[in-house]
Amino acid sequence: MGSLWTLFCGDSDCPDSHSTDCGADLIFLTRPSSCINHVLTICFDILLLIMFFVTIFSKKSSKSSHVTASFRNVSSWQLVSAIYNGLLGLFYLSFGVWILEEKLRKARTSLPLHWWVLFMLHGFIWLLLGLTISLRGHHFSRPPLRLLSILALLFAGITCSLSVFAAILGKEIRIKTVLDMLSFVGSGVLILCTYKGYRYGDDDENDLYDPLLSSANGDSKTYNVTPFAKASFLSKYTFWWLNPLMEEGKEKTLEDEDIPKLRVDDRAESCYALYTEVYDRQKQSDPSSQPSILKTILLCHWKEIIVSGFFAFLKVVTISAGPILLKAFIQVAEGKESFEYERYILVLTLFFTKILESISQRQWYFRSRLIGLKVRSLLTAAVYQKQLRLSNAAKLIHSSGEIMNYVTVDAYRIGEFPFWFHQIWTTSLQLCFAIIILFQAVGLATIASMIVIILTVLCNMPLAKLQHKFQSKLMVAQDERLKAMSEALVNMKVLKLYAWETHFRHVIEKLRKIEDKWLKAVQLRRAYNSFLFWSSPVLVSAATFGACYFLDVPLSSSNVFTFVATLRLVQDPVRSIPDVVGVFIQAKVAFARIVKFLEAPELETASVRVKSPTADDMSHSILFKSADLSWDENPLKPTLRKISLAVKRGDKIAICGEVGSGKSTLLAAVLGEVPITQGIVQVQGTIAYVSQSAWIQTGSIRENILFGSALDNQRYQNVLERCSLVKDLELLPYGDLTEIGERGVNLSGGQKQRVQLARALYKDADIYLLDDPFSAVDAHTATNLFNEYVMGALSEKTVLLVTHQVDFLPAFDSVLLMSDGEILHAASYSQMLSSSQEFQNLVHAHKETAGSGRLSEVTSSQKGKVSSKEIRKTYSEKKVKTPVGDQLIKKEEKEVGDTGFKPYILYLKQSKGFVIFSVAALCHLTFVIGQILQNSWMAANVDDPNINTLRLILVYLLIGVVSALFLLTRTLATVVLGMQSSRALFSQLLISLFRAPMSFYDSTPLGRILSRVSSDLSIVDLDVPFNLIFTVGSTTNCYANLAVLAVITWQVLFVSIPMIYLAIRLQRYYFSSAKELMRINGTTKSFVANHLAESVAGVTTIRAFKEEDRFFDKNLELIDTNGSPYFHYFSANEWLIQRLETLSATVLSFAGLCMVLLPPGTFSSGFIGMALSYGLSLNMSLVFSINNQCMLANYIISVERLDQYMHIPSEAPEVIKENRPPTYWPTEGKVEIQDLQIKYRPDAPLVLRGITCTFKGGHKIGIVGRTGSGKTTLIGALFRLVEPFGGKIVVDGINISRIGLHDLRSRFGIIPQDPTLFNGTVRYNLDPLGRHTDKEIWEVLGKCQLKEAVQEKEDGLDSSVVEDGLNWSMGQRQLFCLGRALLRRSKILVLDEATASIDNATDMILQKTIRTEFADCTVITVAHRIPTVMDSTMVLAISDGKLVEYDEPMKLMKREDSLFGQLVKEYWSHYQSAETQTTTS
């Protein structure tokens, strides 16, 4: 240290520790000309500078925006302070420059430095402080500003007192004494300026703004906001504000409501608002180009990034001071003190640098995580907002599974990135500092270490590129697998009905294998990276010591252990380089995907809606002027051609036409969903829309109907009556507060449709677009709805109704007949009949399907009308009081309390996991022991003259190389462990999900399952294996450091044992809260995913109702609900580490104190060097250990969450070997139902209550009944989607409950109620198992009226089918399902309302096809259209789960009290009204 002293102070002042007049004498310190006095003043200046930066970057009061008005007039104190301190600073600066110039002129050297450095630095800082505090103080928070001015007064006071004291003793006044006194006066003026010059407004005045602020932010409720929002300066830096939550977590298990809300600035709403504001500003400044999203995010958060960067810089500076202190410690231990009491100053300096290092690192990490949270929130919000506006062409590129991935995986990866961001440059800076220190220690040999470090980084370059490539491929593979999974999970009911689940599971397993391949590639690159950087210290020390040998640089304990300590401090940041690279690559790939999505084209819905209509438009609600519209924005291939249509206010328009003629597209065009390629489309007024396939949200029925509007009880009751929902609600356990499952799983098709109709009616819009809403309900309900709803409630509204029911057409003002994307005719019903041949064909087809001959026979014999009261009496038995059970949708499961090692054991017990893990852990332990042996060899022998340098270095090297081999084994074992466990966990999860019964899917929102197979699985794949080993590794390192300290200076045990006990207690205290916070974070994450999945599915309805803002607000709220536990979790992390670091700083300082207090020679200087080099990295290894433990505890929760769905009670076996049915079973098709009872859950009421009947082989059975009577449940029982509670079903002599599910379901044919198509080709959708030839498939397409539609497409059977079959109309999808049944050729065919979405003409052809193709089969038809079951052999009528009647249709119709008879009559009555219209025209 002497050389540095000489450089700074020169020889005259204090040449050496042997000088007699020099020392830590108080008089010497007070002398204004002494170097020690100057060093003290410079230290004060540096502290002031640090405090100045803290003040600048500390958060300004949230009320300050209202207070700035009081600064318009600068106060007199501010002026005085600015002028006085500005001049004083300038004088100091000028004086310093003059001294330097004089030195250079006279002595031609700038040495010694202390005079001119003192004046220039002091002048610069005083100028900075004086002007900033005086003129810009109102920009900063009050507490730190005042603290800064107090510190300035305190330091100026100390230096002034010392100068005055010296002047009195020496009886002389120097220029510095005068300047010190002037500085004291200046600091006094400064403090008056901060206290008197700034009026921060009275507190009560600020309070006036509080309610305004909160209402502006929509926070009218008083929330439990996080204490961080109002935490004091000291509390923020010590994380004291977190104590109340930690205490609560210790006393009880934390629940969602215990977690405070985020402060306003950190909420998604604020983050997104800031983002859009900055984005728009960039757009305005350069309208021609698209603003960069990355640049926008950086501009939003640049201040926070700089603040966290400042703390990162401070941390690097403090940590680099360690090796310099170590060198000084060795010198003191060898008895070479520079001045008296140096040993105590060293120990204090060591303690304070460690504390400062701790504070700066904690603030760096905390602030970086907070930036990450804000970026994640704004990206999630941006993705959600984007999907609400996404154009249809863009939807084909970004499927719902991918959009889900952007939020659950990509946004989270990007949110992790800011935490690692500063490590990119801090590691480089730390390496630079290390090289400077190394150069001082080993001179030119440093070049060797630099070469090795550069080579290591260069070797990493190609690896990083490869990793980037593989990471991108992995993401794509993950998307493909997720797309297939989400499709299979959404359509699980269909897969089970067709017995296709095994095939689909194999498809997913194949996709997972591809994903596995890329995962292995990514993990191996990470492993090589990790090995490269963990073994680099061995290579660096080998190269350096080798160079020392060849360059004859003497090795002593002082320089060797300065080198080792520097290397140990650098090795942890260097080891994290692969992680930084990995995170950087993941974030880059994820960001590119999100940016591509955010820049996708949007819908131009605004172009359709008219804001301020002209007089000409006032009378029209909807106006098309020769418009061409195309889904794929291709003017050459319009979906709708030459549409000209004017709809006046209050008009009722019916739209009919065959399947695929463009009816639904016309409604979509009114909504503005279809891009206009030519012409004009104008819509005026609010719209309510009812989609063809019902979209129902998770939530209560009431919430679904109100859809964001306020509850008006009278209007609400009226709506329920008009939609025939009153009776249905009485049957539900909680009435209209019953929770509906996702996509309305616990409602029948008709009930879902009526909830949709109720939602539209409650909206009270001007225009009603109804897309075939009556297809899913029975004839009676349809008539009722038509009269009450369309003609009654909507009598004064504009209505466009797509329908296939000709019976309703006479009541409309106008009928549009569509064909092939054009409006063929548009006129009233009577005009259409007389003028349009196509329309006549449609009506005649309807007559034929209605089977008018058979109907009239019966109706003529039956006179008199039956009153609706009687009808109601026949099917409404005494109302059953349903027991109040649980709601269907359960709260999401999460583990509670400390699960201990359970999830770890679960992870490790997969395919030899324990063995591989043990090998890896032992290898790491051997590596650590090898490192200690290396250093012990060096410590013991470095100062031994008997051992020559070559031998010393070779043994050191040999131990290093052997331990590096163990390291390689550890790294490869990690990859093997990760791959094996991932495969095993995924395959168990997949089998469990595919074997789960339908009741599981009915009560589990899709978002919950998807968040497990996306983000949780991604964490288990990528993060858990490496983190597990790193945790073991860093914890071993930490204990090794402590052990080395304790072995060399055993006195440390007095402090370290209580410290370890305290540390363990602290960690336990922390875990009780942190684990729950992490679990809540997991469950709240699926809320975000669920809401997104639902919104993607219902985006058309949301846009039609103009509810985008409400859904977006709900999304922001859910993001914050998820953000808050995460925020408190990572704060708790820092809370714990800061306390542990304080403990480790105490241990280290105590060890240092022992070394310097004990007489010289107690320890050899080699071992002192070794102990301190390990001790200095104790802080860092402790942080890495705890950080890894916390991250692992966080990640292992994903294993816990996967495990919850790995043990779902499964359905009956797919195949029961000893009970397999004969190959050609069923041969006859006879079905006997014996006292069948069904309930959906053990605690639910019976849905079918003792049904007994027999369907003879080859008979055509029609099943009829009101909506919700149990028809679909009976079909479910036949396929064993629900197992019988009592009774049985026997088919051809075999009890179906005794055979395997696959054997049962694969032998029956079904055309389900909801037609489902899968992503793929036409061929794949008809024959996914690939059992049929193209010829057979074309034959079937011809029979089910799809041949032309498929031939029109360029690729024929290879034509694409997008997700959910959205590029085919609803009717065409139903025809595909018929095609599947024709290909399967089963002896028993079930039609579950299969022709509901098909026009009458197509229906007639279909019925003929079914009659001829399935002539000798048993056909069971559930129908709402009476004609569909008129030619059945037998009709089964069900009401309220009981069999009401079962006989031939003609016999039933002749019975007075027949339910079937009533249904036929209702149908016949409105058929006849259509007939009379026909004859009159």
Side-chain angles (χ1 to χ4, degrees), residues 634-911:
N634 184 352
L636 303 173
K637 280 191 180 176
T639 319
L640 295 180
R641 287 188 299 279
K642 303 179 196 124
I643 304 289
S644 289
L645 175 67
V647 181
K648 293 193 176 71
R649 288 179 180 285
D651 273 4
K652 306 278 177 293
I653 308 284
I655 305 167
C656 51
E658 58 187 34
V659 169
S661 58
K663 305 182 294 294
S664 298
T665 307
L666 185 66
L667 293 192
V670 175
L671 289 170
E673 295 282 321
V674 194
I676 306 162
T677 53
Q678 198 182 325
I680 298 169
V681 180
Q682 290 181 345
V683 180
Q684 198 192 310
T686 54
I687 297 179
Y689 168 68
V690 175
S691 55
Q692 193 169 8
S693 51
W695 175 69
I696 305 287
Q697 277 183 279
T698 309
S700 67
I701 293 180
R702 179 182 291 181
E703 284 167 6
N704 268 284
I705 294 173
L706 296 179
F707 206 55
S709 307
L711 176 65
D712 172 346
N713 235 329
Q714 193 179 345
R715 182 163 130 217
Y716 181 68
Q717 288 308 323
N718 180 35
V719 165
L720 292 181
E721 281 163 26
R722 297 271 193 181
C723 297
S724 320
L725 274 170
V726 180
K727 178 178 178 294
D728 299 86
L729 293 182
E730 284 169 357
L731 291 174
L732 290 169
Y734 290 89
D736 66 345
L737 295 177
T738 304
E739 291 279 332
I740 310 180
E742 196 168 13
R743 303 179 305 285
V745 282
N746 46 341
L747 297 180
S748 72
Q751 286 169 327
K752 280 192 250 185
Q753 203 55 278
R754 280 175 294 145
V755 168
Q756 278 215 115
L757 286 164
R759 176 205 294 156
L761 181 55
Y762 194 82
K763 189 73 186 167
D764 193 23
D766 304 325
I767 301 168
Y768 279 76
L769 307 178
L770 312 177
D771 197 351
D772 201 10
F774 305 136
S775 59
V777 294
D778 57 79
H780 167 69
T781 314
T783 313
N784 222 357
L785 280 174
F786 185 75
N787 294 332
E788 288 286 319
Y789 190 95
V790 181
M791 305 316 292
L794 304 182
S795 55
E796 292 175 12
K797 308 284 186 186
T798 309
V799 179
L800 264 70
L801 171 77
V802 170
T803 184
H804 293 130
Q805 277 129 321
V806 175
D807 344 342
F808 297 139
L809 298 181
F812 284 88
D813 299 324
S814 177
V815 177
L816 303 184
L817 178 63
M818 294 195 71
S819 174
D820 199 19
E822 292 186 50
I823 298 177
L824 280 186
H825 300 282
S828 66
Y829 182 77
S830 49
Q831 287 171 324
M832 289 283 275
L833 267 178
S834 55
S835 63
S836 166
Q837 182 60 47
E838 290 90 348
F839 190 68
Q840 285 171 17
N841 294 348
L842 197 76
V843 174
H844 290 312
H846 175 68
K847 277 189 198 173
E848 284 189 38
T849 39
S852 46
R854 293 178 71 178
L855 275 165
S856 51
E857 282 172 36
V858 180
T859 33
S860 58
S861 68
Q862 285 190 354
K863 303 284 181 230
K865 265 202 153 191
V866 186
S867 75
S868 62
K869 269 189 188 165
E870 281 180 59
I871 293 172
R872 203 166 288 132
K873 196 170 73 193
T874 58
Y875 79 87
S876 171
E877 319 285 313
K878 265 191 192 142
K879 212 174 84 182
V880 188
K881 259 289 177 210
T882 52
V884 176
D886 281 344
Q887 289 280 29
L888 174 75
I889 303 296
K890 302 277 189 290
K891 199 174 172 197
E892 186 167 0
E893 322 80 4
K894 66 180 175 73
E895 304 291 334
V896 173
D898 187 5
T899 48
F901 288 109
K902 195 175 130 203
Y904 298 96
I905 291 167
L906 175 80
Y907 182 76
L908 292 174
K909 73 178 182 193
Q910 312 298 331
S911 50

Side-chain angles (χ1 to χ4, degrees), residues 593-606:
R593 286 152 49 86
I594 287 186
V595 166
K596 186 182 170 193
F597 175 70
L598 292 180
E599 289 175 353
E602 294 185 3
L603 263 189
E604 299 294 329
T605 37

